[in-house]
Amino acid sequence: MPHIASLMPRVLATSLAFVSFASIAWAQPAPPVRIRGTIEAVDGSVLAIKSREGTDMKVRMTDNVAVFGVAKTALSEIKEGSYIGVTAMPEPDGTQKAVAVHIFPETQRGAAEGFRPWDQRPGSTMTNATVAETVKGTDGQNMLVKYKDGEKKVMVPPDTPIVTFVAGDKSELKPGAKIIIFGAVKKDDGMLEANRVNVGRDGITPPM
């Protein structure tokens, strides 16, 4: 039977390994929080927001926060080569039926490129990609969009909200404004913090 003293190094190594693993686990940052809602009040750098789900939230803006307006635009503004985000519902044939499309400015080409589940509504998806071709169809506009590791066929019905991001400023962040924050981060003090806020222009609710 091994002497107790001979087991101590192994016990110590196991304990240290566990502590190291636990430290790494605890150090994992919280996932970003997506927020849709209405600004209720502004107190310095802190936005009081009533979320889409009816939750009262507070979000602190960073000193260098970027504010973008979400402005209505036309389907005709989407051309081959445009970099767009398509909020959609999957069809049985694999086509994505758009429920909203946003056009990125050229400076944001490549932002969050790819295809993923989305939370605009149950079962919805998001595809950020470049328009490879666009053809007018009987029920709207048919597009082929390509991203770095795939492509999707998208059908855009005529009544689909089409918006674009435009440069904005903090003066647009006022009570009553509709906003979407794609990635608020929970900080060590428990406060949510955002370095970008997207605000609807002319009463628009960001449709993505």
PDB file of all heavy atoms in Angstrom, residues 81-83 104-111 129-131:
ATOM      1  N   GLY A  81     -23.238  43.204 -55.267  1.00  0.00           N
ATOM      2  CA  GLY A  81     -22.073  43.735 -54.569  1.00  0.00           C
ATOM      3  C   GLY A  81     -22.406  44.400 -53.256  1.00  0.00           C
ATOM      4  O   GLY A  81     -21.506  44.651 -52.450  1.00  0.00           O
ATOM      5  N   SER A  82     -23.687  44.694 -53.010  1.00  0.00           N
ATOM      6  CA  SER A  82     -24.080  45.289 -51.728  1.00  0.00           C
ATOM      7  C   SER A  82     -23.824  44.289 -50.599  1.00  0.00           C
ATOM      8  O   SER A  82     -24.040  43.080 -50.758  1.00  0.00           O
ATOM      9  CB  SER A  82     -25.563  45.667 -51.730  1.00  0.00           C
ATOM     10  OG  SER A  82     -25.851  46.672 -52.674  1.00  0.00           O
ATOM     11  N   TYR A  83     -23.387  44.809 -49.454  1.00  0.00           N
ATOM     12  CA  TYR A  83     -23.223  43.961 -48.275  1.00  0.00           C
ATOM     13  C   TYR A  83     -24.439  44.200 -47.385  1.00  0.00           C
ATOM     14  O   TYR A  83     -24.698  45.329 -46.955  1.00  0.00           O
ATOM     15  CB  TYR A  83     -21.938  44.286 -47.525  1.00  0.00           C
ATOM     16  CG  TYR A  83     -21.638  43.302 -46.419  1.00  0.00           C
ATOM     17  CD1 TYR A  83     -21.247  41.996 -46.717  1.00  0.00           C
ATOM     18  CD2 TYR A  83     -21.768  43.659 -45.087  1.00  0.00           C
ATOM     19  CE1 TYR A  83     -20.984  41.078 -45.714  1.00  0.00           C
ATOM     20  CE2 TYR A  83     -21.508  42.744 -44.071  1.00  0.00           C
ATOM     21  CZ  TYR A  83     -21.118  41.461 -44.390  1.00  0.00           C
ATOM     22  OH  TYR A  83     -20.877  40.542 -43.390  1.00  0.00           O
ATOM     23  N   PHE A 104     -25.597  47.525 -45.124  1.00  0.00           N
ATOM     24  CA  PHE A 104     -24.448  48.057 -44.399  1.00  0.00           C
ATOM     25  C   PHE A 104     -23.747  49.124 -45.238  1.00  0.00           C
ATOM     26  O   PHE A 104     -23.614  48.965 -46.462  1.00  0.00           O
ATOM     27  CB  PHE A 104     -23.433  46.950 -44.111  1.00  0.00           C
ATOM     28  CG  PHE A 104     -23.842  45.978 -43.036  1.00  0.00           C
ATOM     29  CD1 PHE A 104     -24.454  44.776 -43.367  1.00  0.00           C
ATOM     30  CD2 PHE A 104     -23.595  46.262 -41.699  1.00  0.00           C
ATOM     31  CE1 PHE A 104     -24.808  43.865 -42.388  1.00  0.00           C
ATOM     32  CE2 PHE A 104     -23.951  45.350 -40.707  1.00  0.00           C
ATOM     33  CZ  PHE A 104     -24.566  44.150 -41.047  1.00  0.00           C
ATOM     34  N   PRO A 105     -23.242  50.183 -44.603  1.00  0.00           N
ATOM     35  CA  PRO A 105     -22.373  51.099 -45.341  1.00  0.00           C
ATOM     36  C   PRO A 105     -21.068  50.384 -45.696  1.00  0.00           C
ATOM     37  O   PRO A 105     -20.709  49.378 -45.077  1.00  0.00           O
ATOM     38  CB  PRO A 105     -22.135  52.246 -44.350  1.00  0.00           C
ATOM     39  CG  PRO A 105     -22.415  51.663 -43.009  1.00  0.00           C
ATOM     40  CD  PRO A 105     -23.439  50.593 -43.205  1.00  0.00           C
ATOM     41  N   GLU A 106     -20.368  50.893 -46.670  1.00  0.00           N
ATOM     42  CA  GLU A 106     -19.155  50.240 -47.150  1.00  0.00           C
ATOM     43  C   GLU A 106     -18.124  50.056 -46.031  1.00  0.00           C
ATOM     44  O   GLU A 106     -17.380  49.072 -46.013  1.00  0.00           O
ATOM     45  CB  GLU A 106     -18.550  51.042 -48.308  1.00  0.00           C
ATOM     46  CG  GLU A 106     -17.434  50.337 -49.057  1.00  0.00           C
ATOM     47  CD  GLU A 106     -17.859  48.994 -49.654  1.00  0.00           C
ATOM     48  OE1 GLU A 106     -19.025  48.858 -50.055  1.00  0.00           O
ATOM     49  OE2 GLU A 106     -16.999  48.096 -49.710  1.00  0.00           O
ATOM     50  N   THR A 107     -18.092  50.988 -45.086  1.00  0.00           N
ATOM     51  CA  THR A 107     -17.123  50.906 -43.991  1.00  0.00           C
ATOM     52  C   THR A 107     -17.390  49.721 -43.073  1.00  0.00           C
ATOM     53  O   THR A 107     -16.522  49.336 -42.286  1.00  0.00           O
ATOM     54  CB  THR A 107     -17.140  52.186 -43.151  1.00  0.00           C
ATOM     55  OG1 THR A 107     -18.482  52.446 -42.707  1.00  0.00           O
ATOM     56  CG2 THR A 107     -16.634  53.380 -43.954  1.00  0.00           C
ATOM     57  N   GLN A 108     -18.599  49.128 -43.160  1.00  0.00           N
ATOM     58  CA  GLN A 108     -18.931  47.990 -42.309  1.00  0.00           C
ATOM     59  C   GLN A 108     -19.020  46.674 -43.095  1.00  0.00           C
ATOM     60  O   GLN A 108     -19.532  45.678 -42.594  1.00  0.00           O
ATOM     61  CB  GLN A 108     -20.251  48.251 -41.570  1.00  0.00           C
ATOM     62  CG  GLN A 108     -20.147  49.395 -40.574  1.00  0.00           C
ATOM     63  CD  GLN A 108     -21.471  49.726 -39.932  1.00  0.00           C
ATOM     64  OE1 GLN A 108     -22.323  48.870 -39.744  1.00  0.00           O
ATOM     65  NE2 GLN A 108     -21.656  50.995 -39.597  1.00  0.00           N
ATOM     66  N   ARG A 109     -18.484  46.684 -44.308  1.00  0.00           N
ATOM     67  CA  ARG A 109     -18.469  45.458 -45.104  1.00  0.00           C
ATOM     68  C   ARG A 109     -17.737  44.362 -44.337  1.00  0.00           C
ATOM     69  O   ARG A 109     -16.654  44.583 -43.796  1.00  0.00           O
ATOM     70  CB  ARG A 109     -17.799  45.708 -46.455  1.00  0.00           C
ATOM     71  CG  ARG A 109     -17.680  44.456 -47.334  1.00  0.00           C
ATOM     72  CD  ARG A 109     -17.110  44.787 -48.701  1.00  0.00           C
ATOM     73  NE  ARG A 109     -18.051  45.602 -49.476  1.00  0.00           N
ATOM     74  CZ  ARG A 109     -19.058  45.103 -50.194  1.00  0.00           C
ATOM     75  NH1 ARG A 109     -19.258  43.789 -50.234  1.00  0.00           N
ATOM     76  NH2 ARG A 109     -19.848  45.908 -50.867  1.00  0.00           N
ATOM     77  N   GLY A 110     -18.350  43.185 -44.285  1.00  0.00           N
ATOM     78  CA  GLY A 110     -17.740  42.057 -43.590  1.00  0.00           C
ATOM     79  C   GLY A 110     -18.170  41.915 -42.136  1.00  0.00           C
ATOM     80  O   GLY A 110     -17.827  40.934 -41.481  1.00  0.00           O
ATOM     81  N   ALA A 111     -18.943  42.881 -41.622  1.00  0.00           N
ATOM     82  CA  ALA A 111     -19.371  42.820 -40.220  1.00  0.00           C
ATOM     83  C   ALA A 111     -20.210  41.570 -39.967  1.00  0.00           C
ATOM     84  O   ALA A 111     -21.188  41.319 -40.665  1.00  0.00           O
ATOM     85  CB  ALA A 111     -20.167  44.073 -39.865  1.00  0.00           C
ATOM     86  N   ALA A 129     -24.130  38.997 -45.685  1.00  0.00           N
ATOM     87  CA  ALA A 129     -23.454  38.483 -46.868  1.00  0.00           C
ATOM     88  C   ALA A 129     -23.471  39.515 -47.991  1.00  0.00           C
ATOM     89  O   ALA A 129     -24.150  40.540 -47.916  1.00  0.00           O
ATOM     90  CB  ALA A 129     -24.144  37.195 -47.330  1.00  0.00           C
ATOM     91  N   THR A 130     -22.733  39.193 -49.034  1.00  0.00           N
ATOM     92  CA  THR A 130     -22.668  40.045 -50.224  1.00  0.00           C
ATOM     93  C   THR A 130     -23.642  39.543 -51.277  1.00  0.00           C
ATOM     94  O   THR A 130     -23.737  38.334 -51.515  1.00  0.00           O
ATOM     95  CB  THR A 130     -21.239  40.040 -50.805  1.00  0.00           C
ATOM     96  OG1 THR A 130     -20.338  40.537 -49.814  1.00  0.00           O
ATOM     97  CG2 THR A 130     -21.152  40.917 -52.040  1.00  0.00           C
ATOM     98  N   VAL A 131     -24.361  40.465 -51.892  1.00  0.00           N
ATOM     99  CA  VAL A 131     -25.317  40.103 -52.936  1.00  0.00           C
ATOM    100  C   VAL A 131     -24.550  39.707 -54.193  1.00  0.00           C
ATOM    101  O   VAL A 131     -23.797  40.506 -54.772  1.00  0.00           O
ATOM    102  CB  VAL A 131     -26.276  41.279 -53.245  1.00  0.00           C
ATOM    103  CG1 VAL A 131     -27.227  40.901 -54.369  1.00  0.00           C
ATOM    104  CG2 VAL A 131     -27.051  41.674 -51.991  1.00  0.00           C
TER     105      VAL A 131
END
